[in-house]
Amino acid sequence: MNLLKTPYRHGERLDLGGLSVRLAVNPRARRVSLRIDRARREAVATAPTPRRLAEAAAFARERRAWIGARLAALPADRALAAAEPLAVFGAPWRLIPDGRRPRLIAAEDGAPPCLTGCGAGAVDGQLVARAVKAQALAVFRARAEIHCRTLNIGAPPVSIMDARTRWGSCTAAGPGRAASIRLSWRLALAPFAVADYVVAHECAHLIEANHGPRFWAVVRRLVGDERPHRAWLREHGARLHAYR
């Protein structure tokens, strides 16, 4: 059987007995490979050319048991209402559903911050998420201002996004286009230093668009050694992306 004649397309999804596998073409790939996209909760079979997508599909079928085990190990989706206390930038928030208007009370006299008015009798996950997103945006904007001041550049508009596939993005200024930075609100659920690294990472892209040595030199100028923060995101990123 000539697998190369089997018609497959980039982006097509295979159903392997209830397991989702997405086929992808990456011209930079040197061989067929298989990985788990933890944010989308699916396997990705990658081929270097469209003609080898059939080979990638066959490889995924051979590794069905491996795919099933890896997907089963992913953390289940969680509502923010289920987290008590909820750590925001490393500080535990007490969630108090007292029926009042939502209000974040800062830590004082040794007591942790608390979010009042996050429900009436039971914690409302949507109200909690709204408060976390507002806090995330405020912190991201403040940190971007500081990092851009260090780099002697103007801070661009900063907004939050709900993507589960990336932590941030940067659009550099160009003809008819203003610079901007977007960051995942779920970074607020990471330690402050980790979230701050991602902010610095995107600010560095305002100067260096690639990930070459000069780019990483800029990042290290802002936050020091980035490797512990990157390692933390690799280890805990799936748990953060599980929050909705």
Side-chain angles (χ1 to χ4, degrees):
M1 177 180 178
N2 186 352
L3 293 176
L4 296 181
K5 292 183 179 180
T6 306
Y8 288 102
R9 299 183 306 276
H10 172 76
E12 182 175 348
R13 281 178 168 77
L14 304 177
D15 183 357
L16 305 185
L19 300 179
S20 177
V21 179
R22 176 163 48 91
L23 298 178
V25 175
N26 183 353
R28 292 177 295 179
R30 295 183 178 181
R31 62 184 182 276
V32 166
S33 63
L34 188 63
R35 66 178 178 87
I36 300 298
D37 186 329
R38 295 182 296 177
R40 294 178 175 172
R41 306 184 72 84
E42 65 183 5
V44 182
T46 302
T49 65
R51 292 185 61 189
R52 297 188 65 183
L53 282 175
E55 186 181 340
F59 184 54
R61 290 190 178 94
E62 292 174 1
R63 302 296 304 277
R64 185 188 180 285
W66 181 88
I67 293 171
R70 294 302 185 276
L71 291 177
L74 293 177
D77 280 357
R78 296 188 65 194
L80 288 175
E84 171 62 41
L86 177 67
V88 180
F89 293 113
W93 283 13
R94 290 182 57 216
L95 306 179
I96 304 177
D98 56 8
R100 302 179 182 179
R101 293 183 61 185
R103 179 188 174 200
L104 178 62
I105 301 176
E108 56 182 14
D109 298 329
C114 64
L115 179 65
T116 64
C118 55
V123 175
D124 185 327
Q126 291 187 340
L127 292 177
V128 176
R130 194 177 304 164
V132 171
K133 291 174 182 178
Q135 183 72 358
L137 184 58
V139 171
F140 294 158
R141 286 175 172 170
R143 296 308 299 172
E145 287 278 354
I146 291 173
H147 292 316
C148 287
R149 194 178 308 132
T150 299
L151 298 176
N152 198 29
I153 59 176
V158 176
S159 60
I160 58 173
M161 61 183 181
D162 194 42
R164 292 193 181 191
T165 57
R166 60 193 310 177
W167 296 113
S169 66
C170 173
T171 300
R177 182 186 65 209
S180 64
I181 288 175
R182 301 178 70 214
L183 296 156
S184 169
W185 67 268
R186 292 178 179 85
L187 285 168
L189 307 176
F192 175 83
V194 174
D196 189 41
Y197 151 69
V198 180
V199 179
H201 184 116
E202 301 308 331
C203 289
H205 275 313
L206 295 169
I207 296 177
E208 296 289 340
N210 53 42
H211 288 96
R214 290 194 301 180
F215 167 80
W216 290 112
V218 174
V219 172
R220 289 167 194 146
R221 178 182 171 192
L222 297 175
V223 295
D225 187 357
E226 81 287 351
R227 289 173 295 182
H229 310 314
R230 297 178 68 188
W232 193 97
L233 289 172
R234 283 194 299 270
E235 181 177 354
H236 301 283
R239 176 176 59 83
L240 266 59
H241 280 136
Y243 281 106
R244 62 183 190 275

